[in-house]
Amino acid sequence: MESNVLPYLEISKQNVKRKISETLTDKNKEVTNAAFNFHFKDRNSLAFQKYYCETVSNREAFLSSPNFFRVFRQKYSLQGINGNHLDRLEQEKGKILRLVDDDNLPKLYYEFFADVSLQRTKSVVQRTLASFFAKFAHTFSPDKYCALDNPIKDYLGLRREGFYIAFVVISQAYKEWANENPHLMQQIRMELENDKIGKSYSNKMTKLKLLDLIFWYQANKATTVL
């Protein structure tokens, strides 16, 4: 099976890296400035960046907060998740964090986020909370995984791909592209630190987070134009 799956993932990853380069290589400063101007001047986005920096890699706050997942859902504007499942996540926080630490994301995904039974008023529905999963994995492993959402997935050419596969592919593409283009990543970091507001957030933002900020802005701009 690996002989058929791994080449497919490799080709998908290389395609994403090409798209990243097409967006950034020639217009790095222009694209980066546009993204940071939005994220650190728009009131709602700035409020979210403050929340993000308070929670990213903050294990103590995660474990001690009695309503972490309810606040997390609200801050990330995650829809369709009822209180019963949020209560289950709160009760299993220790196990959930261990799975992230062990890099056992398939088990984390299938046990807590895939095909979840959610109680509605008159029925039970099954939903996969893929975006919730990606954002949580990023929060406690921000150097390894991106906080993927559908507009970025579509923008980077994986519209027809399953969310979990796209999450793995884009996370790896971000990491490799950043390592292969240190001068461009340095420029991106410098643009953030030249922003009067954004500079105070720099030490909490990994390379993957910076790329997420840029491609979130690009993807949502493209959606608005369409």
Side-chain angles (χ1 to χ4, degrees):
M1 183 171 68
E2 287 184 0
S3 64
N4 290 315
V5 173
L6 292 180
Y8 170 83
L9 295 177
E10 180 66 23
I11 291 170
S12 297
K13 182 189 68 181
Q14 294 301 333
N15 288 339
V16 171
K17 287 166 66 177
R18 278 194 290 274
K19 179 65 175 178
I20 295 171
S21 290
E22 288 172 6
T23 303
L24 288 175
T25 302
D26 294 332
K27 296 183 177 180
N28 189 30
K29 186 170 183 177
E30 176 184 335
V31 170
T32 301
N33 276 340
F36 293 162
N37 281 338
F38 171 79
H39 287 298
F40 298 104
K41 288 184 173 62
D42 178 84
R43 183 177 62 182
N44 292 332
S45 181
L46 180 57
F48 173 78
Q49 304 314 323
K50 290 178 180 177
Y51 168 78
Y52 173 86
C53 289
E54 290 168 358
T55 54
V56 67
S57 298
N58 191 339
R59 293 158 182 263
E60 181 179 351
F62 170 64
L63 293 171
S64 63
S65 171
N67 62 343
F68 176 89
F69 284 105
R70 280 177 168 76
V71 176
F72 190 87
R73 175 188 62 176
Q74 185 265 326
K75 294 294 186 179
Y76 274 98
S77 300
L78 298 163
Q79 305 298 319
I81 309 161
N82 66 12
N84 288 341
H85 189 64
L86 293 172
D87 289 341
R88 181 194 172 205
L89 296 177
E90 291 290 348
Q91 293 163 7
E92 299 275 9
K93 282 196 289 194
K95 182 177 183 178
I96 289 170
L97 196 54
R98 284 194 298 274
L99 290 171
V100 175
D101 290 342
D102 293 342
D103 205 26
N104 193 347
L105 264 60
K107 183 174 178 61
L108 175 68
Y109 180 72
Y110 280 107
E111 187 165 346
F112 293 103
F113 296 97
D115 200 26
V116 174
S117 297
L118 299 174
Q119 182 68 49
R120 295 291 184 258
T121 304
K122 296 182 179 181
S123 63
V124 175
V125 299
Q126 303 297 122
R127 283 198 59 197
T128 293
L129 311 175
S131 183
F132 197 148
F133 159 80
K135 290 166 175 58
F136 180 81
H138 170 78
T139 298
F140 292 100
S141 199
D143 289 303
K144 289 184 178 180
Y145 301 109
C146 62
L148 185 63
D149 57 16
N150 279 310
I152 296 176
K153 174 177 174 286
D154 296 350
Y155 183 84
L156 292 175
L158 298 179
R159 178 184 297 272
R160 299 182 183 276
E161 188 57 81
F163 197 98
Y164 184 90
I165 295 298
F167 165 75
V168 172
V169 167
I170 292 172
S171 294
Q172 188 63 29
Y174 275 2
K175 286 189 292 184
E176 292 186 12
W177 189 90
N179 290 335
E180 292 163 8
N181 296 275
H183 60 297
L184 291 176
M185 284 307 308
Q186 183 179 23
Q187 289 176 15
I188 291 169
R189 179 75 64 183
M190 287 176 62
E191 291 304 322
L192 175 61
E193 294 181 352
N194 285 336
D195 186 283
K196 291 181 180 180
I197 299 173
K199 63 182 179 181
S200 62
Y201 298 89
S202 179
N203 66 335
K204 291 282 191 172
M205 295 189 167
T206 63
K207 295 173 184 177
L208 272 67
K209 169 64 173 176
L210 296 182
L211 292 174
D212 260 339
L213 288 175
I214 292 167
F215 285 101
W216 185 95
Y217 179 77
Q218 288 292 308
N220 282 276
K221 183 178 70 171
T223 301
T224 301
V225 170
L226 294 175

